[in-house]
Amino acid sequence: MLLYSLAVLVLIVLALLWLGGLYFFKTAIRRAPKSFLVDNPNLMPEPDNEIISSASDLTWLDTQPIEDIYVESHDGLKLHGTWLPSPNGSQHPTVILAHGYSGKGREMAGFARFYAEKRGYNVLMPDDRGHGQSEGNIIGFGWLDRRDYVQWVHWVLGKVGTETEIILHGISMGGATVLMTGGEALPDQVKAIVSDCAYTSVKDELTFQLKQLYKLPAFPFIPVTSLISKWKAGYFFGEASALNQLTKVQVPVLFIHGEADRFVPTEMVYRLYEACPTEKELLTIPRAGHGTAFQVDRPRYEEVLESFLTKNLSNSSAVSSFI
């Protein structure tokens, strides 16, 4: 009788853990409204912070000659992007901007404005799978998206020709995405990566959020949810690692992080920086919360970014024309 009771108890505990894993999977990885982001104290900006793009940046974008473009992913999803051509001709450099978790490409308008107005670049702003106008019910956290961004790189080459130079610039999940993409085989036209407030790995970030939001330990919830993710989304949390992908990156990387980031801990950027085997730079912005470094100290951000781009791109004509 005792053994039977113990067996029933074990089954009940396992069932509860599985249900808990399903709940966390749906909350974090399924495409659905993310209520836990609303009024999240770790996403509340410091005084005077704005997140990514101001209203004037979005208004500016709406006045530009943007085009809606589409590609089909390797697994059959219709992916959407917003294309803003350079006013000075297609052979100028191109930046591909990667947005954050639950966002969409046009939310990168502030960065698009910088690259278009001050650098004269072509700008591509994809909507990640499971975001914006792109198809998909699963959020890839950068790991599934890395293959999509390789495809976007090849789309750019087909659009403007092989003489262009390409920069990958992402923020938050997008920052991790461009690092993960950098670990893939990329054409020589990809010259540099800018990673703003990226996490080290999906496992590390979800472990941090589980503790912050639910006051729960990583074990057993992260392993169970990771197993469900492998079943339903195709990846374990541990394999979705920007740190691991960095060991294969072959281009210079600029790492940026807010020193007041309470959503992706600032300590993660130091681990990423140390893991990078190529030329690298690090910029941390005092008082900047998550995703707000560009708005908190835009002059410093632009100064460091300008220097990094000038150093790592051979095509300097756009620079001299727009600075």
Side-chain angles (χ1 to χ4, degrees):
M1 185 66 180
L2 179 60
L3 287 177
Y4 175 78
S5 298
L6 287 174
V8 170
L9 180 60
V10 168
L11 289 174
I12 291 173
V13 170
L14 290 175
L16 290 174
L17 284 175
W18 188 255
L19 289 173
L22 287 171
Y23 168 79
F24 289 127
F25 174 83
K26 180 179 179 181
T27 298
I29 299 170
R30 292 286 297 182
R31 183 174 193 161
K34 303 303 179 185
S35 58
F36 66 91
L37 297 178
V38 179
D39 296 329
N40 186 316
N42 296 319
L43 282 174
M44 293 297 103
E46 298 298 307
D48 302 322
N49 284 16
E50 291 181 283
I51 295 181
I52 306 177
S53 300
S54 66
S56 63
D57 291 326
L58 294 168
T59 300
W60 169 86
L61 183 63
D62 288 335
T63 67
Q64 302 307 301
I66 56 177
E67 306 171 28
D68 290 312
I69 58 173
Y70 298 89
V71 298
E72 184 175 316
S73 70
H74 69 93
D75 51 352
L77 296 177
K78 186 178 181 181
L79 303 178
H80 170 264
T82 301
W83 174 252
L84 175 59
S86 167
N88 286 344
S90 63
Q91 292 307 309
H92 283 258
T94 302
V95 62
I96 302 177
L97 297 172
H99 64 76
Y101 181 77
S102 79
K104 53 188 175 183
R106 66 175 280 109
E107 293 177 0
M108 300 293 281
F111 293 116
R113 188 174 189 176
F114 163 80
Y115 280 104
E117 288 191 337
K118 294 198 174 183
R119 304 293 298 189
Y121 285 17
N122 303 294
V123 180
L124 174 60
M125 294 169 280
D127 291 342
D128 287 0
R129 56 176 56 216
H131 292 76
Q133 297 182 51
S134 290
E135 294 181 343
N137 294 317
I138 296 295
I139 295 175
F141 274 97
W143 187 245
L144 300 182
D145 311 284
R146 77 195 195 283
R147 297 180 65 179
D148 300 333
Y149 276 81
V150 172
Q151 189 167 346
W152 284 119
V153 166
H154 287 284
W155 182 92
V156 167
L157 296 179
K159 176 72 171 180
V160 302
T162 57
E163 296 303 312
T164 192
E165 295 177 304
I166 298 173
I167 302 296
L168 305 177
H169 185 155
I171 190 166
S172 190
M173 185 182 80
T177 299
V178 294
L179 295 178
M180 293 177 187
T181 303
E184 300 298 305
L186 294 172
D188 292 339
Q189 289 84 356
V190 177
K191 298 300 183 183
I193 293 171
V194 181
S195 175
D196 187 335
C197 62
Y199 42 77
T200 49
S201 71
V202 175
K203 181 180 179 181
D204 289 346
E205 178 61 13
L206 293 185
T207 295
F208 177 79
Q209 291 301 329
L210 189 68
K211 181 178 180 180
Q212 290 294 107
L213 296 175
Y214 299 98
K215 313 302 179 186
L216 292 173
F219 185 84
F221 300 101
I222 293 296
V224 170
T225 310
S226 180
L227 182 63
I228 293 171
S229 175
K230 185 64 174 179
W231 169 40
K232 289 181 169 289
Y235 64 96
F236 288 115
F237 295 158
E239 68 182 305
S241 171
L243 274 174
N244 291 343
Q245 286 291 95
L246 265 173
T247 64
K248 299 179 285 183
V249 168
Q250 298 183 18
V251 298
V253 182
L254 170 59
F255 297 92
I256 302 170
H257 218 102
E259 295 180 11
D261 194 335
R262 300 188 302 272
F263 194 77
V264 175
T266 308
E267 63 87 13
M268 288 190 181
V269 76
Y270 299 110
R271 294 163 59 193
L272 291 168
Y273 179 81
E274 289 300 321
C276 182
T278 62
E279 293 184 29
K280 55 193 175 183
E281 297 181 31
L282 173 62
L283 171 65
T284 61
I285 300 293
R287 297 190 309 104
H290 186 64
T292 66
F294 185 58
Q295 300 292 354
V296 169
D297 194 348
R298 193 160 181 161
R300 178 62 177 156
Y301 195 115
E302 291 189 0
E303 176 189 6
V304 172
L305 181 54
E306 293 270 16
S307 174
F308 178 76
L309 296 172
T310 302
K311 186 185 306 182
N312 292 295
L313 272 72
S314 60
N315 186 345
S316 60
S317 60
V319 178
S320 61
S321 298
F322 281 81
I323 292 179

